[in-house]
Amino acid sequence: MNRVLFTHSYFYRFDPKQWKSKQPYPPLATITAASYIRNFGYEVSLFDTALRESPEEINQAIEEFKPDYLVIYDDGFNYLTKMCLTNMREAAFRMTQIAKQKNLTVIVSSSDATDHFEKYINNGADYVIVGEAEYTLLELLDKLKSGSNNLNAINGLVFKSGNQLVRTTPRQIENNLDVFPVAAWDLVNINDYKKIWLEGRKEFSLNIATTRGCPFKCNWCAKPIYGNRYNSRTPENVADEIEFLQRQYNVNYFWFCDDIFGLKPGWVQKFRDEVKRRNLKFRFKIQSRVDLLLKEDTIVALAESGADIIWVGAESGSQKILDAMDKGTTIDEIYSATKMLKSKNIKVGFFLQFGYPGETKEDIDKTIQMVLDLMPDEIGISVSYPLPGTNFYETVKAQLKEKTNWTDSDDLAVMFRSTFHPAYYKKLHRYVHKVFKKKVGKESLKIIISQPFEINKKIIRSALLSFYYFPAEVIDRLTLKRLESSN
């Protein structure tokens, strides 16, 4: 009873938008848990669904490894898994069914299973782990191996006893993240990931998590695994992993997939110093908040560490909407942080969100104007998405009908009553991208005319595409006006 087959439910192929982008990341939380369990004498293997075509392929992995347990352990560090997409839920159910047909014990840990543990138990899972999972998983495996039925003493667990669901005391999260081992990267076929990145003509990147949790309370943000607590690895521990990954896989670009990177006072500066001391050379992207970036010399330290692009939750160009979201940031901070990042040659990405209750056409126009004023290097657009456990969900849950989750990340369905019809927001998503890219093309044309010796392939391509975006943007604008009038 020592063989544990790990898997996860995020199939990139089942999310067409993400599969098309050709930027897949290995399941970091999954292989971290596998590494932790392996340290205690369990033999582990991984059925990595990320690049697979079907849940049915797990049959071969089970036949070859002959595990005692199947652990469906989703990557809680990847925002895609936090979206709880129904395509992935159905995949998890199917793998569970296959495992049960082969008499395996099935254990599940994911954001979706935490929110809907009864669905997973009803579809065959024996146990659902709620919250931070490594300690709970180890305790559960040890109990099952010993034949003990005293599972009520294990914190953070849901299981069925007779006809009743039992949920034990919540698990306290670990404050010292350095106690967790480096992920079991040897379980992943890194070359398969690298090949897809190169096919998309992108620089290959791997993912690292330096923290767990987020203390901020944006009322639409779900945190079912790590909650509102915030804990960090030490800069030295993170630098050790970077050195290992560079040496082992020749990778020089990283996505620090934390909800908030470097929140702890002085952490970014200490990390910068450690990077310099070891003479490490790499670039990275992170997610942060505009108010945090404006503190001390944070932006300078990030630039000196190798920051390439920083994604910020701009969300809206309307202060009214930011306040309604309990965002805790201001429009002035968005403008100031963006300008400071650009002054240090750090690229900027904006997460934008439309459709929040109370948002008007004027608020939408302010957001579009903010984008055109600041011209971030990239934008990611979504519509407000109610997830269980959030104040936003509680506000709109009476309006939710049968559809409560997106099918994939490009679903963009508005599942509650918003200012405009759902079709409006679908079109708005495309329209804002075209407005943005039209201006990028316009600026590229100016460079070609005024600085012909500074041009490159990217500038030429943007300039040529502007001839598409100019008429396309006009057509979408007219469609939006029609949808507004018919609302």
Side-chain angles (χ1 to χ4, degrees), residues 411-431:
D411 190 324
L412 298 179
V414 180
M415 296 177 288
F416 55 92
R417 288 192 300 274
S418 199
T419 304
F420 300 105
H421 189 275
Y424 175 88
Y425 295 101
K426 283 259 191 181
K427 181 58 67 176
L428 179 64
H429 171 268
R430 274 65 180 177
Y431 170 73

Side-chain angles (χ1 to χ4, degrees), residues 49-104:
T49 64
L51 310 182
R52 299 279 185 163
E53 296 184 5
S54 166
E56 308 298 324
E57 294 179 59
I58 200 172
N59 275 295
Q60 183 178 352
I62 293 173
E63 289 300 320
E64 291 177 354
F65 185 60
K66 294 180 171 47
D68 304 297
Y69 311 96
L70 175 68
V71 178
I72 302 175
Y73 197 114
D74 278 359
D75 183 10
F77 298 125
N78 192 328
Y79 72 94
L80 295 169
T81 67
K82 298 175 192 176
M83 297 169 76
C84 304
L85 306 169
T86 58
N87 273 352
M88 313 310 167
R89 179 190 292 170
E90 293 301 322
F93 290 169
R94 180 58 189 141
M95 289 189 292
T96 299
Q97 292 163 4
I98 292 171
K100 294 310 296 178
Q101 289 168 3
K102 298 179 183 296
N103 298 315
L104 301 186

Side-chain angles (χ1 to χ4, degrees), residues 14-162:
F14 293 177
D15 195 344
K17 175 183 175 182
Q18 301 304 326
W19 183 244
K20 183 179 179 181
S21 75
K22 295 185 179 296
Q23 299 178 61
Y25 285 98
L28 180 58
T30 314
I31 57 177
T32 299
S35 179
Y36 179 75
I37 294 302
R38 184 164 62 183
N39 283 351
F40 290 88
Y42 288 91
E43 188 176 351
V44 302
S45 185
L46 174 69
F47 173 67
D48 186 3
T49 64
L51 310 182
R52 299 279 185 163
E53 296 184 5
S54 166
E56 308 298 324
E57 294 179 59
I58 200 172
N59 275 295
Q60 183 178 352
I62 293 173
E63 289 300 320
E64 291 177 354
F65 185 60
K66 294 180 171 47
D68 304 297
Y69 311 96
L70 175 68
V71 178
I72 302 175
Y73 197 114
D74 278 359
D75 183 10
F77 298 125
N78 192 328
Y79 72 94
L80 295 169
T81 67
K82 298 175 192 176
M83 297 169 76
C84 304
L85 306 169
T86 58
N87 273 352
M88 313 310 167
R89 179 190 292 170
E90 293 301 322
F93 290 169
R94 180 58 189 141
M95 289 189 292
T96 299
Q97 292 163 4
I98 292 171
K100 294 310 296 178
Q101 289 168 3
K102 298 179 183 296
N103 298 315
L104 301 186
T105 298
V106 178
I107 304 165
V108 183
S109 169
S110 70
S111 296
D112 192 45
T114 295
D115 292 334
H116 300 289
F117 50 79
E118 70 288 345
K119 292 187 189 323
Y120 283 78
I121 296 291
N122 290 339
N123 276 274
D126 296 288
Y127 306 97
V128 171
I129 298 175
V130 176
E132 191 173 61
E134 287 95 342
Y135 292 162
T136 300
L137 177 58
L138 178 61
E139 289 181 24
L140 175 60
L141 291 173
D142 285 348
K143 289 280 188 184
L144 295 175
K145 185 173 66 170
S146 70
S148 172
N149 293 320
N150 183 24
L151 303 182
N152 295 71
I154 302 176
N155 294 337
L157 192 63
V158 176
F159 59 94
K160 208 165 192 176
S161 179

Side-chain angles (χ1 to χ4, degrees), residues 314-319 321-322 331 334 352 363 366-368 370:
E315 313 303 351
S316 175
S318 166
Q319 191 63 52
I321 298 302
L322 293 182
I331 303 300
I334 296 172
L352 302 172
D363 298 317
K366 287 180 178 179
T367 301
I368 296 173
M370 177 181 71

Side-chain angles (χ1 to χ4, degrees), residues 345-357:
N345 296 314
I346 299 176
K347 295 194 285 288
V348 186
F350 278 4
F351 290 117
L352 302 172
Q353 185 178 154
F354 290 112
Y356 195 85

Side-chain angles (χ1 to χ4, degrees), residues 259-274:
D259 288 340
I260 301 290
F261 180 85
L263 169 60
K264 190 175 179 181
W267 195 97
V268 171
Q269 290 76 13
K270 290 177 182 176
F271 178 65
R272 181 263 320 274
D273 295 343
E274 189 66 22

Side-chain angles (χ1 to χ4, degrees), residues 328-344:
T329 54
T330 67
I331 303 300
D332 285 345
E333 287 170 335
I334 296 172
Y335 274 72
S336 296
T338 301
K339 291 172 182 176
M340 286 183 65
L341 288 167
K342 288 189 172 190
S343 73
K344 296 300 178 183

